[in-house]
Amino acid sequence: FFSYGSFSVYLIYFSKLILQSINTGSSVISPILIGRFYSALFSTITILLVFLLSKQIFSKKKFALLSSFTVAITPGLIQQAHFATPESILTFWLFLTLTFSLKSVSNGKIRYLILSALTLGTAAATKIVAVTYLPILVLMPFFKNNNYSIKSIFKKFISVIILLSTTLLVFFALFPYSLLDKNGFLHSMKYETAVAQGKLVVFYTRQFIATPPFVYQLTKVFPYVLGPAVLLLATVGFVLVITDIVNALLRKKGVDKKMIIILFAVLAYLIPNVILFVKWTRFMAPILPFFALFAVYAIYLIDRKRGIFSKFVVPTLIVVFITTSTIWELMFFSIYKKPDVRISSTKWINLNISQNSNILTEEGNTLEVPLTLGYNKRVFNFYNLDQSMEKDNLSQLLLTTDYFIVQSRRVFVNHQRLSKDFPEVSNFYNKLFSQELGFEKVKEFTSFPVLSIGPLKFEIDDELAEETWSVFDHPVIRIYKKTSPLTEIDYQRLLNN
């Protein structure tokens, strides 16, 4: 399972063995639920890590508390805490690495650097992308003191070798098949790299065709996973951090080494990931806590002005920031307070569609509604519709179909946007939505982020955000009923025009 690394896989596997050994009942222990437990656990502990790291940056405890609170209510991190994916675990190990690194700057003790090497090795064994932090590990010995004599530089290089060796040993210990099956590992890395860079476009990466880096994340990812208040204030804080560092260097004043390390950590992870062809939301998870730090840093700098700023402006800004961020979090968390949209739609189907109905739906989603058995459900791969022979198969299926279910935006949005590249798929959905295929929409199920206060209701349609943001836990499901039966020749004609 080389696409991730084996730390999280082993953690789930051995946890299941332990639970099975003490489980005397007949219930089945799901590895997916174990994985989700660990995602939630590591996400929760990360809040504490952010607090400990923030205490090393801010002179006042209230700003460390505000940073950790902001991380706790960040929608993107809450979502990742619900998924059995390695990003929450990776985020924990990277922040623990950073916490130890900053601690070594404070007291100069080598043991914190060794600990950071251990945790970075574990992070890399969780997901190989953690190697973006290796330059930080290499530079840390040079941050310890300003002595750059030949003897001192030699000792620093020895320290670097020890740190890198420690990281590699931990990596191989927790990811042994990267060595035991070296060829398989290298082949997997070659494949994953090709997909990530867009050299190999597979069906689940079509949404990223012709999407500009940076702009895509700023419009389709960050506004949803952070909320407007955190994104805006974090951007201000990020600019202020860079400005402070540049001014200190130009004036030859003491530079805040801790903020340099944090800034380097953000850029080391952000830049390689943001310029990739694939731009999945979860790829950004490990840097989301930094947005909380930068947002609070902006307030912290205003507080340092003292006087009227410290007494009036900062308290007001904190109240507005907490209020707006909490509202955004409550809206997103409403998704988890409602029944899953796939369960709701299945219940409606069971009540309103007869069991002997023929249902046609799309392949390529995590689940296909209806979830219960009893229906003649046919799943068609629309990703291959541009192959001529598939159109004949589809026309035959449409002839006997009573209901067509659009499981999410995953297929139609991407292919309608890229109609020149995928004309057949785009044409099918254009004809479906215009009712030319003889189908009429009878029901639509949504679970958008919403805030309800009495009769007032404020809802955000986030369907057009990066697709994994909505598809995995709150897709829009559309049910179409055949109201005007056509002949197979009619379907063939429509699919070819």
Side-chain angles (χ1 to χ4, degrees), residues 65-75 78 224-231 317-335 337 449-453 458 460:
L65 288 170
L66 183 57
S67 297
S68 52
F69 171 77
T70 306
V71 168
I73 65 168
T74 298
I78 292 173
Y224 301 96
V225 300
L226 295 169
V230 175
L231 179 57
L317 186 57
I318 289 175
V319 170
V320 173
F321 176 69
I322 290 176
T323 303
T324 53
S325 300
T326 302
I327 289 173
W328 192 265
E329 181 273 336
L330 290 173
M331 292 182 69
F332 171 72
F333 199 73
S334 69
I335 294 167
K337 295 170 67 178
V450 64
L451 180 67
S452 299
I453 304 175
F458 181 53
I460 296 176

Side-chain angles (χ1 to χ4, degrees), residues 3-4 76-77 79-80 83-88 90-91 127 129 192 204 208 221 225 269 273 278-288 466 468-469 472:
S3 56
Y4 287 140
L77 295 173
Q79 185 184 63
Q80 291 305 313
F83 294 162
T85 50
E87 272 69 26
S88 293
L90 173 66
T91 302
K127 197 173 180 184
V129 71
E192 295 295 339
Y204 52 86
F208 302 121
V221 178
V225 300
Y269 184 91
N273 280 279
V278 296
K279 305 171 183 71
W280 288 304
T281 299
R282 63 187 177 88
F283 277 18
M284 293 294 106
I287 67 159
L288 295 186
E466 191 279 307
T468 62
W469 168 257
F472 288 162

Side-chain angles (χ1 to χ4, degrees), residues 50 53-54 57-58 67 95 262 289-298:
V50 171
L53 188 146
S54 299
I57 300 171
F58 304 118
S67 297
F95 262 77
I262 288 176
F290 289 111
F291 282 88
L293 286 173
F294 286 128
V296 175
Y297 191 79

Side-chain angles (χ1 to χ4, degrees), residues 184-202:
F185 173 69
L186 293 176
H187 179 269
S188 178
M189 289 299 99
K190 184 178 179 180
Y191 171 81
E192 295 295 339
T193 301
V195 171
Q197 294 177 342
K199 295 177 181 178
L200 175 63
V201 179
V202 291

Side-chain angles (χ1 to χ4, degrees), residues 114-172:
I114 297 295
L115 287 171
S116 66
L118 291 170
T119 55
L120 184 57
T122 308
T126 301
K127 197 173 180 184
I128 197 69
V129 71
V131 298
T132 55
Y133 270 39
L134 277 177
I136 299 174
L137 195 67
V138 171
L139 291 173
M140 286 312 302
F142 295 91
F143 273 79
K144 286 180 61 179
N145 56 61
N146 296 322
N147 183 0
Y148 294 106
S149 64
I150 295 177
K151 182 178 180 181
S152 178
I153 292 175
F154 178 75
K155 288 183 177 180
K156 293 178 191 297
F157 274 114
I158 295 297
S159 297
V160 168
I161 293 171
I162 293 172
L163 293 174
L164 290 177
S165 300
T166 302
T167 301
L168 284 173
L169 285 173
V170 174
F171 172 76
F172 290 131

